[in-house]
Amino acid sequence: MTTPERDEHDPTPRPRPRPNGDDRGYNYRVFDVADAPPVEDLVALSRGAWGADYDAIEKAYFLYDASYVRWLLPADGMSLGAWATAPDGTPAGSVLGVTRELYSRGRRFVACYGTMLSVAREHRGAGIGVGVMQRSFEAMKARGVDLYLGTFDADQAGRPVIIKAMERYDSDFRICESPPMTFWACMTELDQIDRYEPFQGVERAALLPGVREALRFHPTARDLRAPARRMPLAEVYREPRRDLSWVIGPGLSTPRMYGDHDPSESGTFAFEFGVGERCFIAYHNTTLVRVGRPPRRVGNVQLIHAGTASRVSVIRALRYVNAWLLDTGCIVTLCLDTGIVPKSSLIAAGFLPTPRKVRLFALGPRANVEALQPLALPYFSDVY
């Protein structure tokens, strides 16, 4: 437990942030890319933590493999994290954060986009999750970061931990959350998806032969002839839109995460349909695992910038990216409906809504959080 302290001008008990070092036998430290734990340890910890929860109920989850963790740790050193080890030196918990720029209603904030909060099953109940989150907040404050960002899944256990860490860390900290946003999916073989995320109830009708054929994505020759070029995000995205309530900006790590990487992992497609008609789409691939099933690749359409392209051209661009990702071996492509593209365009591009929903959140000093409110669609943001 943290020790309450009192300010002579404010009688309200306030918990003291716990520093790096030993705490109840556990050792905590904040790290950046230069002194990060071995990637293999980060992978093993997250896989063990997530597997303990999902394998027991035979449910699919995204695997944080080595390529994914390296993607979250750009070589420039902008990322940070917190790491906890047990008394015997074995990994107990961790969280990663990627430094980003956030633009909202004309203001710029330096932000830390957190992900991969993991606590080893055998060390749960010892406050490890709260501990690593509080260390992240302390590192964020020391580096002049204005806000901590992330996403909450509808059935994610991380939300209570993060709220508790925030409340114990600083009584001035606040949090705001977006309305629920739906993940949309594009797939060619619905029965493959059913093996990992079984259709429930009336959804089972989608597997009937006639219905299944109608719902599957059929790329056309015209889709594949879209004028696409692979290029680094930094070359096509320089100025954020000022009319959106939440914009992940072009500075810092964003372009580097969608730059010159292995095309099978991540990248950006730029489209030029004619004079003055341009747009771009960035993507990243992850691995879906379920106990008793082989790992399968999933394509994530991360950033859609409609630019100056018409609605028809944006649909063509999305269909091209879907066809390309599915052709590389992905069993599905996912796209979060952040309001950038109309739902009718998502449907025309081959996407269908799924039951999965997430919320974006921002937490930090009261003044910074209040400057973001109210959070309202559309948002220009990727999701980890």
Side-chain angles (χ1 to χ4, degrees):
M1 297 288 292
T2 56
T3 304
E5 60 180 359
R6 293 179 181 268
D7 186 285
E8 60 180 339
H9 302 295
D10 180 3
T12 305
R14 189 171 298 162
R16 181 183 297 117
R18 296 179 291 189
N20 287 348
D22 189 87
D23 182 4
R24 291 171 33 175
Y26 291 91
N27 189 272
Y28 292 84
R29 70 179 179 90
V30 172
F31 64 86
D32 57 22
V33 175
D35 64 347
V39 168
E40 294 75 16
D41 287 350
L42 287 165
V43 170
L45 177 62
S46 65
R47 184 161 194 175
W50 288 66
D53 295 328
Y54 288 90
D55 288 352
I57 57 176
E58 296 187 10
K59 195 172 181 180
Y61 62 97
F62 289 118
L63 173 68
Y64 294 133
D65 56 18
S67 63
Y68 186 86
V69 173
R70 293 189 186 99
W71 183 66
L72 294 174
L73 292 169
D76 53 31
M78 296 304 301
S79 298
L80 60 88
W83 179 251
T85 52
D88 62 0
T90 58
S94 68
V95 67
L96 288 181
V98 181
T99 306
R100 287 293 183 86
E101 284 179 331
L102 174 67
Y103 293 87
S104 180
R105 300 180 177 89
R107 286 189 58 181
R108 172 189 175 275
F109 300 90
V110 178
C112 180
Y113 199 142
T115 187
M116 214 170 135
L117 175 60
S118 305
V119 177
R121 185 175 186 176
E122 60 269 28
H123 298 293
R124 293 178 184 177
I128 304 298
V130 170
V132 294
M133 287 306 306
Q134 287 191 326
R135 269 63 174 202
S136 295
F137 298 157
E138 195 68 20
M140 178 183 90
K141 194 173 186 179
R143 297 186 185 195
V145 176
D146 303 309
L147 292 163
Y148 193 93
L149 313 178
T151 59
F152 290 138
D153 208 320
D155 58 354
Q156 187 183 60
R159 186 182 188 280
V161 172
I162 293 172
I163 297 295
K164 184 184 294 185
M166 176 194 76
E167 292 173 345
R168 292 182 179 180
Y169 176 73
D170 191 332
S171 63
D172 183 59
F173 267 32
R174 294 292 185 272
I175 187 169
C176 62
E177 301 178 38
S178 74
M181 296 174 292
T182 300
F183 268 99
W184 290 55
C186 173
M187 54 207 127
T188 56
E189 302 296 339
L190 274 67
D191 56 336
Q192 289 192 52
I193 306 304
D194 183 59
R195 296 188 187 107
Y196 291 83
E197 288 287 346
F199 293 93
Q200 303 293 329
V202 296
E203 296 174 358
R204 301 294 301 173
L207 300 175
L208 295 173
V211 179
R212 181 172 61 192
E213 183 61 23
L215 293 178
R216 69 188 296 266
F217 177 62
H218 295 271
T220 67
R222 187 169 183 269
D223 295 334
L224 302 177
R225 290 198 302 268
R229 287 189 299 153
R230 284 186 54 84
M231 57 197 309
L233 178 60
E235 293 183 18
V236 293
Y237 181 39
R238 295 183 176 86
E239 293 297 327
R241 283 178 57 180
R242 304 288 176 169
D243 58 330
L244 305 182
S245 65
W246 180 300
V247 181
I248 290 293
L252 302 175
S253 67
T254 313
R256 288 182 280 275
M257 294 181 72
Y258 302 98
D260 291 323
H261 300 292
D262 181 346
S264 68
E265 301 294 339
S266 66
T268 303
F269 283 106
F271 299 84
E272 188 166 348
F273 292 96
V275 178
E277 261 206 276
R278 298 180 179 86
C279 65
F280 72 78
I281 297 173
Y283 69 91
H284 184 266
N285 294 338
T286 51
T287 302
L288 187 68
V289 294
R290 184 183 179 192
V291 63
R293 301 276 189 260
R296 297 301 302 267
R297 299 296 281 168
V298 171
N300 294 275
V301 176
Q302 292 278 42
L303 297 170
I304 305 171
H305 194 287
T308 56
S310 67
R311 175 180 178 274
V312 172
S313 294
V314 172
I315 292 171
R316 281 192 67 193
L318 277 169
R319 290 183 67 87
Y320 175 91
V321 174
N322 280 337
W324 187 86
L325 289 171
L326 293 168
D327 188 59
T328 63
C330 294
I331 61 171
V332 64
T333 61
L334 298 175
C335 180
L336 184 63
D337 179 13
T338 58
I340 292 290
V341 176
K343 291 177 175 57
S344 58
S345 295
L346 291 176
I347 292 172
F351 288 102
L352 297 170
T354 74
R356 187 188 174 203
K357 298 181 185 295
V358 299
R359 296 175 184 263
L360 289 169
F361 75 85
L363 66 84
R366 182 202 304 258
N368 293 342
V369 172
E370 289 180 348
L372 298 178
Q373 295 177 314
L375 288 180
L377 294 173
Y379 311 107
F380 184 76
S381 178
D382 51 358
V383 178
Y384 303 145

